[in-house]
Amino acid sequence: VLETSCRDAIEECVTRVCAILREPIELGDAEFHLAPYAGAAILGRDATVPKLLLEHAHASVTEARRSGYAHVCFFSDTLKLRSLARLDVIRELRAAIANQEIRLRYVGRHDLTTGRLVALVGYLQWLDPMRGEIRPADFLRVAEATGLSTALSRSILACLQEDFARFKSQIEPDVRISFGGLRHHVLSESFLPDINSLLAAGVVTPDRLELRIAERSYVARDVEIWRSLANLGIQLVVDEFGRQVSSLDLLARVPLWGLQLDRSWVTAVHEDPVARKVCGAVVNMALGLCVTPIATGIDNLERRQLLAELGCRQGLGDFYAIPYFTDSSTSTPAIAAGKNAAT
């Protein structure tokens, strides 16, 4: 806290702190470099109470990081409008969670060789009456920043149960429904009890449930929770694999069912030789661990054939269209005709 409203003095002080933070940190043979971003708000000018002052300072540093500013980003009228818009989104998001307006749309995952449907993969969808469709990337950031992501994830679990009850009579008895828990929920102590409550309701049985866990969440939790879930009969899939570095020891010791390649590698597999090598390496590692390799981003026949040749067993993407979705007007899952992967 600086007891001055002089922008030059503030910028000089914060710039000096950032310069110190940019100095390399040596740890053993490794050298780490931090990339600090700075935002500032001034009491009496940008806010009259401490809480609002901190919110505006936070908005400023968020803008600095988004824009890649190397200097201090001061709060402005433009940021004020963005901050007010964010407050509107928070209110709307809280109401949408309470009213279960954020649902799941479903994409079919198929066997790459036969084209058989193997899972219904749920993704978040928010269709707001006024704003239209709001991208998950936009409202998930707000949910994580405000602590609403756990409530959202738990709400989606309830929707999953309702959707499966309607889908069950329309799909083969071995087709699973796939749920990707949000990070804050997965890392909370309520995650395992919430999954147990879902199963206790009896609508979704363990053998029909798949949990997709983002790679960074998977490595952050104790191995025992994954063993507990796997012992129930739930299929565990590590999602977005290849975006970060996982613990190979953890992958080998936990009874995983699937390993899903990060989409960025799959979509570049034809043009980028490095991407092809990465996809091939991950597929071979998965097979070596007796884990099912999965690819997202199967958008055309050529990509499906190439991934199948690399040994990948299942995939989803535009090539299969979207045979399963949730009708937002009735909140009722519906089925439309999709492409057959075998053709």
Side-chain angles (χ1 to χ4, degrees):
V1 178
L2 300 178
E3 295 184 358
T4 177
S5 60
C6 175
R7 287 176 61 122
D8 291 341
I10 294 171
E11 185 155 15
E12 180 183 354
C13 177
V14 178
T15 299
R16 187 167 61 250
V17 173
C18 289
I20 296 171
L21 291 173
R22 287 191 183 93
E23 293 178 2
I25 302 168
E26 295 183 0
L27 187 63
D29 295 332
E31 186 176 90
F32 297 88
H33 296 263
L34 300 180
Y37 298 101
I42 300 172
L43 189 66
R45 181 183 302 175
D46 302 321
T48 57
V49 294
K51 181 180 179 181
L52 192 58
L53 182 72
L54 289 173
E55 288 180 0
H56 289 176
H58 183 269
S60 300
V61 77
T62 299
E63 176 64 16
R65 183 169 54 187
R66 186 187 68 82
S67 304
Y69 287 159
H71 55 276
V72 183
C73 178
F74 284 88
F75 191 74
S76 65
D77 289 340
T78 300
L79 289 181
K80 185 176 181 179
L81 291 174
R82 291 180 185 173
S83 182
L84 291 173
R86 182 170 177 270
L87 291 176
D88 286 339
V89 172
I90 292 172
R91 284 193 291 268
E92 292 171 15
L93 178 60
R94 186 175 284 112
I97 294 172
N99 298 326
Q100 290 192 335
E101 294 172 1
I102 301 176
R103 308 285 300 191
L104 290 169
R105 64 178 181 87
Y106 293 91
V107 178
R109 191 170 74 223
H110 297 256
D111 184 293
L112 289 184
T113 303
T114 66
R116 184 176 63 88
L117 179 71
V118 292
L120 299 177
V121 184
Y123 292 99
L124 293 177
Q125 183 177 54
W126 182 7
L127 297 176
D128 184 81
M130 299 296 293
R131 298 171 180 265
E133 183 170 0
I134 301 176
R135 297 185 310 158
D138 294 335
F139 67 81
L140 283 178
R141 282 198 297 265
V142 176
E144 290 177 354
T146 56
L148 290 172
S149 59
T150 297
L152 173 57
S153 189
R154 297 178 79 178
S155 171
I156 293 300
L157 270 181
C159 296
L160 183 90
Q161 186 170 240
E162 296 173 9
D163 294 344
F164 185 76
R166 298 187 180 102
F167 274 140
K168 194 173 180 180
S169 63
Q170 305 176 58
I171 56 178
E172 296 297 324
D174 60 343
V175 175
R176 299 196 177 219
I177 195 164
S178 179
F179 168 71
L182 299 185
R183 175 175 170 79
H184 289 180
H185 187 202
V186 172
L187 298 181
S188 73
E189 293 303 316
S190 70
F191 184 64
L192 183 56
D194 288 341
I195 298 298
N196 283 326
S197 296
L198 171 72
L199 298 176
V203 178
V204 183
T205 55
D207 62 310
R208 304 294 297 274
L209 179 62
E210 175 185 287
L211 293 179
R212 302 190 320 277
I213 311 297
E215 184 181 8
R216 62 175 185 159
S217 301
Y218 174 74
V219 299
R221 290 224 60 173
D222 185 82
V223 66
E224 289 306 317
I225 186 174
W226 309 130
R227 286 180 178 153
S228 297
L229 291 168
N231 289 339
L232 291 173
I234 297 171
Q235 285 185 350
L236 298 178
V237 173
V238 174
D239 204 356
E240 303 171 350
F241 188 83
R243 187 173 295 185
Q244 298 185 2
V245 179
S246 280
S247 165
L248 294 180
D249 178 70
L250 189 58
L251 289 174
R253 292 180 185 277
V254 175
L256 293 174
W257 181 86
L259 202 62
Q260 183 161 292
L261 273 161
D262 187 63
R263 181 183 176 88
S264 60
W265 295 113
V266 176
T267 54
V269 71
H270 273 290
E271 298 78 16
D272 186 355
V274 173
R276 187 175 304 188
K277 289 179 181 179
V278 169
C279 289
V282 173
V283 167
N284 288 332
M285 181 183 68
L287 294 174
L289 294 171
C290 299
V291 171
T292 303
I294 303 167
T296 179
I298 305 297
D299 297 335
N300 52 58
L301 177 62
E302 293 74 22
R303 197 174 293 165
R304 179 190 73 86
Q305 291 176 332
L306 179 54
L307 267 296
E309 289 170 1
L310 290 174
C312 191
R313 292 178 179 169
Q314 297 184 7
L316 62 156
D318 292 346
F319 176 69
Y320 298 102
I322 304 179
Y324 298 87
F325 59 92
T326 296
D327 184 342
S328 61
S329 62
T330 63
S331 297
T332 301
I335 298 180
K339 297 177 183 177
N340 187 335
T343 60

